[in-house]
Amino acid sequence: MLKLKLDRKKIDFEYEFADGTKETFSYLDPTTAQLECIVGAEGVKQGMQAIKTVMHGCLKSGGEGAVDKLVEEQTSSGNIYDFKSMLDVELGKLKKSAKKG
């Protein structure tokens, strides 16, 4: 008999902020509801905001305000969309290796 359970994948990573401080984060696989938020967005501007909202919801950290700080830094000084894509690629690698194992 096949037994299934909820298995939301995540990757852990360390991020060094522009000010030199470091924080450990987890990036969780987006949920169906989060993906629907992106797909259901009307127009480019709403779509971009949805991606930032989902990114914020998928990041976890023990540091107070660390998620807000990372999202703000990537939005104002980096490219949060490329950053999310990089995390999604790493998450995909984890999923692929889990299927092999």
Side-chain angles (χ1 to χ4, degrees):
M1 175 189 303
L2 178 64
K3 293 185 180 186
L4 302 173
K5 67 176 185 167
L6 178 64
D7 185 22
R8 190 172 178 196
K9 301 289 185 214
K10 71 173 183 157
I11 56 169
D12 297 318
F13 65 96
E14 183 179 78
Y15 182 83
E16 183 174 345
F17 291 96
D19 65 9
T21 60
K22 295 178 183 176
E23 189 67 51
T24 301
F25 291 88
S26 294
Y27 177 69
L28 287 81
D29 198 12
T31 65
T32 302
Q34 289 171 321
L35 294 173
E36 287 174 347
C37 174
I38 293 170
V39 173
E42 295 180 17
V44 174
K45 190 168 186 164
Q46 278 188 347
M48 293 172 80
Q49 184 58 46
I51 290 171
K52 286 194 275 188
T53 300
V54 168
M55 179 74 170
H56 198 278
C58 290
L59 287 170
K60 304 295 178 204
S61 176
E64 187 174 332
V67 171
D68 291 332
K69 185 177 176 182
L70 186 150
V71 170
E72 173 57 33
E73 182 169 286
Q74 282 296 316
T75 300
S76 64
S77 300
N79 184 325
I80 196 164
Y81 310 108
D82 286 347
F83 189 72
K84 181 182 181 314
S85 293
M86 179 191 64
L87 292 173
D88 287 337
V89 165
E90 292 302 315
L91 197 59
K93 289 177 186 177
L94 177 68
K95 288 178 175 181
K96 189 174 181 178
S97 69
K99 286 182 183 179
K100 288 182 181 179

Coordinates of all heavy atoms in Angstrom, one line a residue:
M1 N 0.8 -1.2 0.0 CA 0.0 0.0 0.0 C 0.9 1.2 0.0 O 1.8 1.3 0.7 CB -0.9 0.0 1.2 CG -1.7 1.3 1.3 SD -2.6 1.6 2.8 CE -3.7 0.2 2.9
L2 N 0.5 2.2 -0.8 CA 1.2 3.4 -0.9 C 0.8 4.3 0.3 O -0.3 4.5 0.5 CB 0.9 4.1 -2.2 CG 1.5 5.5 -2.5 CD1 3.1 5.4 -2.6 CD2 1.0 6.1 -3.8
K3 N 1.8 4.9 1.0 CA 1.5 5.8 2.1 C 2.1 7.1 1.8 O 3.3 7.2 1.4 CB 2.2 5.2 3.4 CG 1.5 4.0 3.9 CD 2.1 3.5 5.2 CE 1.4 2.2 5.6 NZ 1.8 1.9 7.0
L4 N 1.3 8.1 1.9 CA 1.7 9.5 1.6 C 1.6 10.4 2.8 O 0.7 10.1 3.7 CB 0.8 10.0 0.4 CG 0.9 9.2 -0.9 CD1 -0.2 9.8 -1.9 CD2 2.2 9.2 -1.5
K5 N 2.3 11.4 2.8 CA 2.2 12.5 3.8 C 2.7 13.8 3.3 O 3.3 13.8 2.2 CB 3.0 12.1 5.1 CG 4.5 12.1 4.8 CD 5.3 11.9 6.1 CE 6.8 12.0 5.8 NZ 7.6 12.1 7.0
L6 N 2.3 14.8 3.9 CA 2.7 16.2 3.5 C 4.2 16.3 3.7 O 4.8 16.0 4.8 CB 2.0 17.2 4.4 CG 2.4 18.7 4.1 CD1 2.0 19.1 2.7 CD2 1.7 19.6 5.1
D7 N 4.9 16.7 2.6 CA 6.3 16.8 2.7 C 6.7 18.1 1.9 O 7.1 18.0 0.8 CB 7.0 15.6 2.0 CG 8.5 15.6 2.1 OD1 9.0 16.2 3.0 OD2 9.1 14.9 1.3
R8 N 6.6 19.2 2.6 CA 7.0 20.5 2.0 C 8.5 20.6 2.1 O 9.1 20.8 3.2 CB 6.3 21.6 2.8 CG 6.4 22.9 2.1 CD 5.5 24.0 2.8 NE 5.7 25.3 2.1 CZ 5.3 26.4 2.7 NH1 4.7 26.4 3.8 NH2 5.5 27.5 2.0
K9 N 9.1 20.6 1.0 CA 10.6 20.7 0.9 C 11.1 22.1 1.3 O 10.4 23.1 1.1 CB 11.1 20.4 -0.5 CG 10.7 19.0 -1.1 CD 11.4 18.0 -0.4 CE 11.1 16.6 -1.0 NZ 11.1 15.5 -0.1
K10 N 12.3 22.1 1.8 CA 12.9 23.4 2.1 C 14.4 23.3 2.0 O 15.0 22.2 2.0 CB 12.6 23.8 3.5 CG 13.2 23.0 4.6 CD 13.0 23.6 6.0 CE 13.8 22.7 7.0 NZ 14.1 23.4 8.2
I11 N 15.0 24.4 1.7 CA 16.5 24.5 1.7 C 16.9 25.5 2.8 O 16.2 26.5 3.0 CB 17.0 24.8 0.3 CG1 16.5 26.2 -0.2 CG2 16.8 23.7 -0.7 CD1 17.2 26.7 -1.4
D12 N 18.0 25.3 3.4 CA 18.6 26.2 4.3 C 19.8 26.9 3.7 O 20.5 26.3 2.9 CB 19.0 25.5 5.6 CG 17.8 24.8 6.3 OD1 16.8 25.5 6.4 OD2 18.0 23.7 6.8
F13 N 19.9 28.2 4.0 CA 21.1 28.9 3.4 C 21.5 30.1 4.4 O 20.7 30.5 5.2 CB 20.8 29.5 2.0 CG 19.7 30.5 2.0 CD1 20.0 31.8 2.0 CD2 18.3 30.1 1.9 CE1 19.0 32.8 1.9 CE2 17.3 31.1 1.8 CZ 17.7 32.4 1.9
E14 N 22.7 30.5 4.3 CA 23.2 31.6 5.0 C 23.3 32.8 4.0 O 23.7 32.7 2.9 CB 24.6 31.4 5.6 CG 25.1 32.5 6.4 CD 26.4 32.3 7.0 OE1 27.4 32.4 6.3 OE2 26.5 32.0 8.2
Y15 N 22.8 34.0 4.5 CA 22.8 35.2 3.6 C 23.6 36.2 4.3 O 23.5 36.5 5.5 CB 21.4 35.7 3.5 CG 21.2 36.9 2.6 CD1 21.2 36.7 1.2 CD2 21.2 38.2 3.1 CE1 21.1 37.8 0.4 CE2 21.1 39.3 2.3 CZ 21.0 39.1 0.9 OH 20.9 40.2 0.1
E16 N 24.5 36.9 3.6 CA 25.3 38.0 4.1 C 24.7 39.3 3.5 O 24.7 39.5 2.3 CB 26.8 37.9 3.7 CG 27.6 39.0 4.3 CD 29.1 38.8 4.0 OE1 29.5 37.7 3.6 OE2 29.8 39.8 4.2
F17 N 24.3 40.1 4.4 CA 23.7 41.4 4.1 C 24.8 42.4 3.6 O 26.0 42.2 3.9 CB 22.9 42.0 5.2 CG 21.6 41.2 5.5 CD1 21.6 40.2 6.5 CD2 20.5 41.4 4.8 CE1 20.5 39.5 6.8 CE2 19.3 40.8 5.1 CZ 19.3 39.8 6.1
A18 N 24.4 43.4 3.0 CA 25.3 44.4 2.5 C 26.1 45.1 3.7 O 27.2 45.5 3.5 CB 24.6 45.5 1.7
D19 N 25.5 45.1 4.9 CA 26.2 45.7 6.0 C 27.2 44.7 6.7 O 27.8 45.0 7.7 CB 25.2 46.2 7.0 CG 24.3 45.1 7.7 OD1 24.6 43.9 7.5 OD2 23.3 45.5 8.4
G20 N 27.3 43.5 6.1 CA 28.2 42.5 6.6 C 27.6 41.5 7.6 O 28.3 40.5 7.9
T21 N 26.4 41.8 8.1 CA 25.8 40.8 9.1 C 25.3 39.6 8.3 O 25.1 39.7 7.1 CB 24.6 41.4 9.8 OG1 23.6 41.9 8.9 CG2 25.1 42.6 10.7
K22 N 25.3 38.5 9.0 CA 24.8 37.2 8.4 C 23.6 36.6 9.1 O 23.5 36.8 10.3 CB 26.0 36.2 8.4 CG 27.2 36.6 7.5 CD 28.3 35.6 7.6 CE 29.5 36.1 6.8 NZ 30.6 35.2 7.0
E23 N 22.8 36.0 8.4 CA 21.6 35.3 9.0 C 21.4 34.0 8.3 O 21.6 33.9 7.1 CB 20.4 36.3 8.9 CG 19.2 35.8 9.6 CD 19.4 35.9 11.1 OE1 19.8 36.9 11.6 OE2 19.1 34.9 11.8
T24 N 20.8 33.0 9.0 CA 20.5 31.8 8.4 C 19.0 31.8 8.1 O 18.2 32.3 8.9 CB 20.8 30.6 9.4 OG1 22.2 30.6 9.7 CG2 20.4 29.3 8.8
F25 N 18.6 31.3 6.9 CA 17.2 31.3 6.4 C 16.9 29.9 6.0 O 17.7 29.1 5.6 CB 17.1 32.2 5.2 CG 17.2 33.7 5.6 CD1 18.4 34.3 5.6 CD2 16.0 34.4 5.9 CE1 18.5 35.6 5.9 CE2 16.2 35.8 6.2 CZ 17.4 36.4 6.2
S26 N 15.6 29.6 6.0 CA 15.0 28.5 5.3 C 14.1 29.0 4.2 O 13.4 30.0 4.4 CB 14.2 27.6 6.2 OG 15.0 27.0 7.2
Y27 N 14.1 28.4 3.0 CA 13.2 28.7 1.9 C 12.4 27.5 1.7 O 12.9 26.5 1.3 CB 14.0 29.1 0.7 CG 13.2 29.4 -0.5 CD1 12.4 30.5 -0.6 CD2 13.1 28.5 -1.6 CE1 11.6 30.8 -1.7 CE2 12.3 28.8 -2.7 CZ 11.6 29.9 -2.7 OH 10.7 30.2 -3.8
L28 N 11.1 27.7 1.9 CA 10.1 26.6 1.8 C 9.5 26.6 0.4 O 9.3 27.6 -0.2 CB 9.0 26.7 2.8 CG 9.4 26.3 4.3 CD1 10.1 27.5 4.9 CD2 8.2 25.9 5.1
D29 N 9.2 25.4 -0.1 CA 8.5 25.2 -1.3 C 7.2 26.0 -1.3 O 6.4 25.8 -0.3 CB 8.3 23.7 -1.5 CG 7.9 23.3 -2.9 OD1 8.2 24.1 -3.9 OD2 7.5 22.2 -3.1
P30 N 6.9 26.8 -2.3 CA 5.6 27.5 -2.3 C 4.4 26.6 -2.3 O 4.5 25.5 -2.9 CB 5.7 28.3 -3.6 CG 7.1 28.4 -3.9 CD 7.7 27.2 -3.4
T31 N 3.4 27.0 -1.5 CA 2.2 26.2 -1.5 C 1.3 26.4 -2.7 O 1.6 27.4 -3.5 CB 1.4 26.5 -0.2 OG1 0.9 27.9 -0.4 CG2 2.1 26.4 1.1
T32 N 0.3 25.6 -2.9 CA -0.6 25.8 -4.0 C -1.3 27.2 -3.9 O -1.4 27.9 -4.9 CB -1.7 24.7 -4.0 OG1 -1.1 23.4 -4.0 CG2 -2.7 24.8 -5.1
A33 N -1.7 27.6 -2.7 CA -2.3 28.9 -2.5 C -1.4 30.0 -2.9 O -1.8 31.0 -3.5 CB -2.8 29.1 -1.1
Q34 N -0.1 29.9 -2.6 CA 0.9 30.9 -2.9 C 1.1 31.0 -4.4 O 1.2 32.0 -5.0 CB 2.2 30.6 -2.2 CG 2.1 30.9 -0.7 CD 3.4 30.5 0.0 OE1 3.9 29.4 -0.3 NE2 3.8 31.3 1.0
L35 N 1.2 29.8 -5.1 CA 1.3 29.8 -6.5 C 0.1 30.4 -7.2 O 0.2 31.1 -8.2 CB 1.6 28.4 -7.0 CG 2.9 27.8 -6.6 CD1 3.0 26.3 -6.9 CD2 4.1 28.5 -7.1
E36 N -1.1 30.1 -6.7 CA -2.3 30.6 -7.3 C -2.3 32.1 -7.2 O -2.9 32.8 -8.1 CB -3.5 30.0 -6.6 CG -3.8 28.6 -7.1 CD -4.9 27.9 -6.3 OE1 -5.4 28.4 -5.3 OE2 -5.3 26.8 -6.8
C37 N -1.7 32.7 -6.1 CA -1.6 34.1 -5.9 C -0.8 34.7 -7.1 O -1.2 35.8 -7.6 CB -1.0 34.4 -4.6 SG -0.6 36.1 -4.3
I38 N 0.2 34.1 -7.5 CA 1.1 34.6 -8.6 C 0.4 34.4 -9.9 O 0.3 35.4 -10.7 CB 2.4 33.8 -8.6 CG1 3.3 34.2 -7.4 CG2 3.2 34.2 -9.9 CD1 4.5 33.3 -7.2
V39 N -0.2 33.3 -10.1 CA -0.8 33.0 -11.4 C -2.1 33.9 -11.6 O -2.4 34.3 -12.7 CB -1.2 31.5 -11.5 CG1 -2.0 31.2 -12.8 CG2 0.1 30.7 -11.6
G40 N -2.8 34.1 -10.5 CA -4.0 34.9 -10.6 C -3.8 36.4 -10.6 O -4.8 37.2 -10.7
A41 N -2.6 36.9 -10.5 CA -2.4 38.3 -10.5 C -2.7 38.9 -11.9 O -2.4 38.3 -12.9 CB -0.9 38.6 -10.1
E42 N -3.3 40.0 -11.8 CA -3.6 40.7 -13.1 C -2.6 41.8 -13.4 O -2.4 42.7 -12.6 CB -5.0 41.3 -13.0 CG -6.1 40.3 -12.8 CD -7.5 41.0 -12.7 OE1 -7.6 42.1 -13.1 OE2 -8.4 40.3 -12.2
G43 N -2.0 41.7 -14.5 CA -1.0 42.7 -14.9 C 0.4 42.4 -14.4 O 0.6 41.7 -13.4
V44 N 1.3 43.1 -14.9 CA 2.7 42.9 -14.6 C 3.0 43.4 -13.2 O 3.6 42.7 -12.3 CB 3.7 43.6 -15.6 CG1 5.1 43.6 -15.1 CG2 3.5 43.0 -17.0
K45 N 2.5 44.6 -12.8 CA 2.7 45.2 -11.5 C 2.2 44.3 -10.4 O 2.9 44.0 -9.4 CB 2.1 46.6 -11.4 CG 2.6 47.3 -10.2 CD 2.2 48.8 -10.3 CE 2.8 49.5 -9.1 NZ 2.8 50.9 -9.3
Q46 N 0.9 43.8 -10.5 CA 0.4 42.9 -9.5 C 1.1 41.6 -9.5 O 1.3 41.0 -8.4 CB -1.1 42.6 -9.8 CG -2.0 43.7 -9.3 CD -3.5 43.3 -9.5 OE1 -3.8 42.3 -10.1 NE2 -4.4 44.1 -8.8
G47 N 1.6 41.1 -10.6 CA 2.4 39.9 -10.6 C 3.7 40.0 -9.9 O 4.1 39.1 -9.2
M48 N 4.3 41.1 -10.1 CA 5.6 41.4 -9.4 C 5.4 41.5 -7.9 O 6.2 41.0 -7.1 CB 6.3 42.6 -10.0 CG 6.7 42.5 -11.4 SD 7.3 44.0 -12.2 CE 8.9 44.1 -11.5
Q49 N 4.3 42.2 -7.5 CA 4.0 42.3 -6.1 C 3.7 40.9 -5.5 O 4.1 40.6 -4.4 CB 2.9 43.3 -5.8 CG 2.6 43.5 -4.4 CD 3.8 44.0 -3.6 OE1 4.5 44.9 -4.0 NE2 4.0 43.4 -2.4
A50 N 3.0 40.1 -6.2 CA 2.6 38.7 -5.8 C 3.8 37.9 -5.5 O 3.9 37.2 -4.6 CB 1.7 38.1 -6.8
I51 N 4.8 38.0 -6.4 CA 6.1 37.3 -6.3 C 6.8 37.7 -5.0 O 7.3 36.8 -4.2 CB 7.0 37.4 -7.5 CG1 6.4 36.7 -8.7 CG2 8.4 36.9 -7.2 CD1 7.0 36.9 -10.0
K52 N 6.8 39.0 -4.7 CA 7.5 39.5 -3.5 C 6.7 39.0 -2.2 O 7.3 38.6 -1.3 CB 7.6 41.0 -3.5 CG 8.6 41.5 -4.4 CD 8.9 43.0 -4.1 CE 7.9 43.9 -4.9 NZ 8.3 45.3 -4.8
T53 N 5.4 39.0 -2.3 CA 4.6 38.5 -1.2 C 4.8 37.0 -0.9 O 5.0 36.6 0.2 CB 3.1 38.8 -1.5 OG1 2.9 40.2 -1.6 CG2 2.2 38.3 -0.3
V54 N 4.8 36.2 -2.0 CA 5.1 34.8 -1.9 C 6.5 34.5 -1.4 O 6.7 33.7 -0.5 CB 4.8 34.1 -3.2 CG1 5.3 32.6 -3.2 CG2 3.3 34.1 -3.5
M55 N 7.4 35.3 -1.9 CA 8.8 35.1 -1.4 C 8.9 35.4 0.1 O 9.5 34.6 0.8 CB 9.7 36.1 -2.2 CG 11.1 36.1 -1.8 SD 11.9 34.7 -2.4 CE 13.6 35.1 -2.1
H56 N 8.2 36.4 0.5 CA 8.2 36.8 2.0 C 7.6 35.6 2.8 O 8.1 35.3 3.9 CB 7.4 38.1 2.2 CG 7.7 38.7 3.4 ND1 7.1 38.4 4.6 CD2 8.5 39.8 3.8 CE1 7.5 39.1 5.6 NE2 8.3 40.0 5.1
G57 N 6.6 35.0 2.2 CA 5.9 33.9 2.9 C 6.7 32.6 3.0 O 6.5 31.8 3.8
C58 N 7.6 32.4 2.0 CA 8.4 31.2 1.9 C 9.7 31.2 2.7 O 10.3 30.2 2.9 CB 8.7 30.9 0.4 SG 7.2 30.4 -0.5
L59 N 10.1 32.4 3.1 CA 11.3 32.6 3.8 C 11.0 32.5 5.3 O 10.1 33.2 5.8 CB 12.0 33.9 3.5 CG 12.7 34.0 2.1 CD1 13.0 35.5 1.9 CD2 13.9 33.1 2.1
K60 N 11.9 31.8 6.0 CA 11.8 31.7 7.5 C 13.2 32.0 8.1 O 14.2 31.6 7.5 CB 11.3 30.3 7.9 CG 10.0 29.9 7.3 CD 8.8 30.8 7.8 CE 7.5 30.4 7.1 NZ 6.6 31.4 7.0
S61 N 13.2 32.7 9.2 CA 14.4 32.9 9.9 C 14.2 33.1 11.4 O 13.1 33.6 11.7 CB 15.1 34.1 9.3 OG 16.3 34.4 10.1
G62 N 15.1 32.8 12.2 CA 15.0 33.0 13.6 C 15.3 34.4 14.0 O 15.0 34.9 15.1
G63 N 16.0 35.2 13.1 CA 16.4 36.5 13.4 C 15.2 37.5 13.3 O 14.5 37.5 12.3
E64 N 15.0 38.3 14.3 CA 13.8 39.2 14.3 C 14.0 40.2 13.1 O 15.0 40.9 13.0 CB 13.7 39.9 15.6 CG 12.5 40.8 15.7 CD 12.3 41.4 17.1 OE1 12.7 40.8 18.1 OE2 11.6 42.5 17.1
G65 N 13.0 40.3 12.3 CA 13.0 41.2 11.1 C 14.0 40.8 10.0 O 14.1 41.6 9.0
A66 N 14.6 39.7 10.1 CA 15.6 39.2 9.1 C 14.9 39.0 7.7 O 15.5 39.4 6.7 CB 16.3 38.0 9.5
V67 N 13.7 38.5 7.7 CA 13.0 38.2 6.4 C 12.7 39.5 5.7 O 12.9 39.7 4.5 CB 11.8 37.3 6.6 CG1 10.9 37.3 5.3 CG2 12.2 35.9 7.0
D68 N 12.1 40.5 6.5 CA 11.8 41.8 6.0 C 13.1 42.5 5.4 O 13.1 43.1 4.3 CB 11.2 42.7 7.0 CG 9.8 42.3 7.5 OD1 9.1 41.7 6.7 OD2 9.5 42.6 8.6
K69 N 14.2 42.3 6.2 CA 15.4 43.0 5.8 C 16.0 42.4 4.5 O 16.4 43.1 3.6 CB 16.5 42.8 6.9 CG 17.8 43.5 6.6 CD 18.7 43.4 7.8 CE 20.1 44.0 7.6 NZ 21.0 43.8 8.7
L70 N 15.9 41.0 4.3 CA 16.4 40.4 3.1 C 15.5 40.8 1.9 O 16.0 41.1 0.9 CB 16.3 38.9 3.3 CG 16.9 38.1 2.1 CD1 17.5 36.8 2.6 CD2 16.0 37.8 1.0
V71 N 14.2 40.7 2.1 CA 13.3 41.1 1.0 C 13.5 42.6 0.6 O 13.6 42.9 -0.6 CB 11.8 40.9 1.3 CG1 10.9 41.5 0.3 CG2 11.6 39.4 1.5
E72 N 13.7 43.5 1.5 CA 14.0 44.9 1.2 C 15.3 45.1 0.5 O 15.4 45.8 -0.5 CB 13.9 45.7 2.5 CG 14.3 47.1 2.3 CD 13.5 47.9 1.3 OE1 12.3 47.6 1.2 OE2 14.0 48.8 0.6
E73 N 16.3 44.4 1.0 CA 17.6 44.5 0.4 C 17.6 44.0 -1.1 O 18.2 44.6 -2.0 CB 18.7 43.8 1.2 CG 20.1 43.9 0.6 CD 21.2 43.5 1.5 OE1 21.5 44.2 2.5 OE2 21.7 42.4 1.3
Q74 N 17.0 42.8 -1.3 CA 17.0 42.3 -2.6 C 16.1 43.1 -3.5 O 16.3 43.2 -4.7 CB 16.4 40.8 -2.6 CG 17.5 39.8 -2.2 CD 18.6 39.8 -3.1 OE1 18.4 39.7 -4.4 NE2 19.8 39.7 -2.6
T75 N 15.1 43.8 -3.0 CA 14.2 44.6 -3.8 C 14.9 45.9 -4.2 O 14.8 46.4 -5.3 CB 12.9 44.9 -3.0 OG1 12.2 43.7 -2.8 CG2 11.9 45.8 -3.8
S76 N 15.5 46.6 -3.2 CA 16.1 47.9 -3.4 C 17.5 47.9 -4.0 O 17.9 48.8 -4.8 CB 16.1 48.7 -2.1 OG 16.9 48.1 -1.2
S77 N 18.3 46.9 -3.7 CA 19.7 46.9 -4.1 C 20.1 45.7 -5.0 O 21.2 45.6 -5.6 CB 20.6 46.8 -2.9 OG 20.4 48.0 -2.1
G78 N 19.2 44.7 -5.1 CA 19.4 43.5 -5.9 C 18.3 43.3 -6.9 O 17.7 44.2 -7.4
N79 N 18.0 42.0 -7.1 CA 16.9 41.6 -8.0 C 16.2 40.4 -7.3 O 16.7 39.3 -7.4 CB 17.4 41.2 -9.4 CG 16.3 40.9 -10.4 OD1 15.3 40.3 -10.0 ND2 16.5 41.3 -11.6
I80 N 15.2 40.7 -6.6 CA 14.5 39.7 -5.9 C 13.9 38.6 -6.8 O 13.9 37.4 -6.3 CB 13.4 40.3 -5.0 CG1 13.0 39.3 -3.9 CG2 12.2 40.8 -5.8 CD1 12.2 39.8 -2.8
Y81 N 13.6 38.9 -8.0 CA 13.1 37.9 -8.9 C 14.2 36.9 -9.3 O 14.0 35.6 -9.3 CB 12.5 38.5 -10.1 CG 11.5 39.6 -9.7 CD1 11.8 40.9 -9.9 CD2 10.3 39.3 -9.1 CE1 11.0 41.9 -9.5 CE2 9.5 40.3 -8.6 CZ 9.8 41.6 -8.8 OH 8.9 42.6 -8.4
D82 N 15.4 37.3 -9.6 CA 16.5 36.5 -9.8 C 16.9 35.7 -8.6 O 17.2 34.5 -8.7 CB 17.8 37.2 -10.3 CG 17.6 37.7 -11.7 OD1 16.7 37.3 -12.4 OD2 18.4 38.6 -12.1
F83 N 16.8 36.3 -7.4 CA 17.1 35.6 -6.2 C 16.2 34.5 -5.9 O 16.6 33.4 -5.6 CB 17.1 36.7 -5.0 CG 17.6 36.1 -3.7 CD1 19.0 35.9 -3.5 CD2 16.7 35.9 -2.7 CE1 19.4 35.4 -2.3 CE2 17.2 35.4 -1.4 CZ 18.5 35.2 -1.3
K84 N 14.9 34.8 -6.1 CA 13.8 33.7 -6.0 C 14.1 32.6 -7.0 O 14.0 31.4 -6.6 CB 12.4 34.3 -6.1 CG 11.3 33.2 -5.9 CD 10.0 33.8 -6.1 CE 8.9 32.8 -5.9 NZ 9.1 31.5 -6.5
S85 N 14.4 32.9 -8.2 CA 14.7 31.9 -9.2 C 15.9 31.0 -8.8 O 15.8 29.8 -9.0 CB 15.0 32.6 -10.6 OG 13.9 33.2 -11.1
M86 N 16.9 31.6 -8.2 CA 18.0 30.8 -7.8 C 17.6 29.9 -6.7 O 18.0 28.7 -6.6 CB 19.1 31.8 -7.3 CG 20.4 31.0 -6.7 SD 21.5 32.1 -5.9 CE 20.5 32.6 -4.5
L87 N 16.8 30.4 -5.7 CA 16.3 29.5 -4.6 C 15.5 28.4 -5.2 O 15.5 27.2 -4.7 CB 15.6 30.3 -3.6 CG 16.4 31.3 -2.8 CD1 15.6 32.2 -1.9 CD2 17.5 30.6 -1.9
D88 N 14.6 28.7 -6.2 CA 13.8 27.7 -6.8 C 14.6 26.6 -7.5 O 14.2 25.4 -7.4 CB 12.8 28.3 -7.8 CG 11.7 29.1 -7.1 OD1 11.4 28.8 -5.9 OD2 11.1 30.0 -7.7
V89 N 15.7 27.0 -8.1 CA 16.5 26.0 -8.8 C 17.1 25.1 -7.8 O 17.1 23.8 -7.9 CB 17.6 26.7 -9.6 CG1 18.8 25.8 -10.0 CG2 17.1 27.4 -10.8
E90 N 17.6 25.6 -6.7 CA 18.2 24.8 -5.6 C 17.1 23.9 -5.0 O 17.4 22.7 -4.7 CB 18.8 25.7 -4.5 CG 20.1 26.4 -5.0 CD 21.2 25.5 -5.5 OE1 21.5 24.4 -4.9 OE2 21.7 25.8 -6.6
L91 N 15.9 24.4 -4.8 CA 14.8 23.6 -4.3 C 14.5 22.4 -5.3 O 14.2 21.3 -4.9 CB 13.6 24.4 -4.1 CG 12.5 23.9 -3.2 CD1 13.0 23.6 -1.8 CD2 11.4 24.9 -3.1
G92 N 14.5 22.7 -6.6 CA 14.3 21.7 -7.6 C 15.3 20.6 -7.6 O 15.0 19.5 -7.8
K93 N 16.6 21.0 -7.3 CA 17.6 20.0 -7.2 C 17.3 19.0 -6.1 O 17.5 17.8 -6.1 CB 19.0 20.6 -7.0 CG 19.5 21.3 -8.2 CD 20.8 22.0 -7.9 CE 21.4 22.9 -9.1 NZ 22.6 23.6 -8.7
L94 N 16.9 19.6 -4.9 CA 16.5 18.8 -3.8 C 15.4 17.8 -4.1 O 15.4 16.7 -3.7 CB 16.2 19.7 -2.6 CG 15.7 19.1 -1.3 CD1 16.9 18.3 -0.7 CD2 15.2 20.1 -0.3
K95 N 14.4 18.4 -4.8 CA 13.2 17.5 -5.1 C 13.7 16.4 -6.1 O 13.2 15.2 -5.9 CB 12.2 18.3 -5.8 CG 11.4 19.3 -4.9 CD 10.4 20.1 -5.7 CE 9.5 20.9 -5.0 NZ 8.6 21.7 -5.9
K96 N 14.5 16.7 -7.0 CA 15.0 15.7 -8.0 C 15.8 14.6 -7.3 O 15.6 13.4 -7.6 CB 15.8 16.4 -9.1 CG 16.2 15.5 -10.2 CD 16.8 16.3 -11.3 CE 17.2 15.4 -12.5 NZ 17.8 16.1 -13.6
S97 N 16.7 15.0 -6.4 CA 17.5 14.0 -5.7 C 16.6 13.2 -4.7 O 16.9 12.0 -4.5 CB 18.6 14.7 -4.9 OG 18.1 15.4 -3.8
A98 N 15.5 13.7 -4.2 CA 14.6 13.0 -3.3 C 13.9 11.9 -4.1 O 13.6 10.8 -3.6 CB 13.6 13.9 -2.7
K99 N 13.5 12.2 -5.4 CA 12.8 11.2 -6.2 C 13.8 10.1 -6.6 O 13.3 9.0 -6.7 CB 12.4 11.9 -7.5 CG 11.2 12.8 -7.3 CD 10.7 13.4 -8.6 CE 9.5 14.4 -8.4 NZ 9.1 15.0 -9.7
K100 N 15.1 10.3 -6.7 CA 16.0 9.3 -7.1 C 16.2 8.4 -5.9 O 16.5 7.2 -6.1 CB 17.4 9.9 -7.5 CG 17.3 10.5 -8.9 CD 18.7 11.1 -9.3 CE 18.6 11.7 -10.6 NZ 19.9 12.3 -11.0
G101 N 16.2 9.0 -4.7 CA 16.5 8.2 -3.5 C 15.4 7.4 -3.1 O 15.2 6.4 -2.7

